[in-house]
Amino acid sequence: SSSDTNTANGKLVMDEWAELLTPRTSGCVAADIRRICADALTSANARAQQSSEGSKGTKVKWDDIKEAARRCIPSQLSSLDVIPSNLADYDGGEKPTLQPKEQFDLAWKKFGGYNDEKKRLYRAIARPWAYHMNNAVSEST
């Protein structure tokens, strides 16, 4: 039987965390998930050592797991030059919807330099795509 600390709204916390962790772990293998859990436990232990609880009262919190997942570089993606999914900050509820220009800005924000090339790519790909999507929506209504 589950205690109250292991359930939230009638759902096992472990199941809820698994659902929230799924979009954060694309490209991860079992060893990566294990490393995320170990890193989260290490963070929880460090937090417990700083408080008066000591390591006996250590409880892993969702924020520990979320931060460990954010720091994890998935094994299947480690040799590629890719941008991790921006779903890493999504915790349920309504998914944020971004306009194509906002998606472009978000994807290229941390990529330094090459401003002219970025503008050309946007004009060649994102702008026509947005135009197509807007026309497809207006034609279907």
Side-chain angles (χ1 to χ4, degrees):
S1 73
S2 299
S3 68
D4 291 336
T5 59
N6 292 330
T7 60
N9 301 323
K11 189 178 203 181
L12 286 175
V13 171
M14 181 176 67
D15 292 339
E16 181 181 350
W17 287 4
E19 285 178 21
L20 292 172
L21 188 60
T22 300
R24 292 173 163 80
T25 55
S26 345
C28 288
V29 297
D32 297 329
I33 304 297
R34 184 178 187 283
R35 187 175 66 238
I36 289 170
C37 293
D39 289 351
L41 182 59
T42 301
S43 295
N45 283 333
R47 187 181 59 253
Q49 291 296 327
Q50 290 175 351
S51 71
S52 60
E53 299 173 3
S55 60
K56 275 192 167 187
T58 302
K59 288 188 179 180
V60 175
K61 296 181 179 179
W62 170 244
D63 286 340
D64 298 323
I65 292 176
K66 187 166 74 170
E67 181 60 23
R70 188 189 66 74
R71 288 190 313 258
C72 177
I73 297 172
S75 295
Q76 292 182 343
L77 304 177
S78 63
S79 64
L80 303 175
D81 184 19
V82 295
I83 298 171
S85 169
N86 64 349
L87 290 176
D89 293 325
Y90 173 66
D91 279 335
E94 191 174 321
K95 289 186 181 180
T97 44
L98 299 174
Q99 295 299 316
K101 176 71 169 122
E102 293 170 310
Q103 291 173 349
F104 173 81
D105 290 341
L106 181 65
W108 290 85
K109 183 178 181 181
K110 292 187 179 180
F111 188 77
Y114 303 104
N115 289 328
D116 291 338
E117 288 77 7
K118 289 182 204 178
K119 288 177 187 175
R120 281 190 215 118
L121 280 171
Y122 178 75
R123 285 192 298 262
I125 298 170
R127 192 181 290 164
W129 175 75
Y131 177 79
H132 170 74
M133 294 305 291
N134 287 336
N135 286 336
V137 169
S138 63
E139 288 174 6
S140 67
T141 56

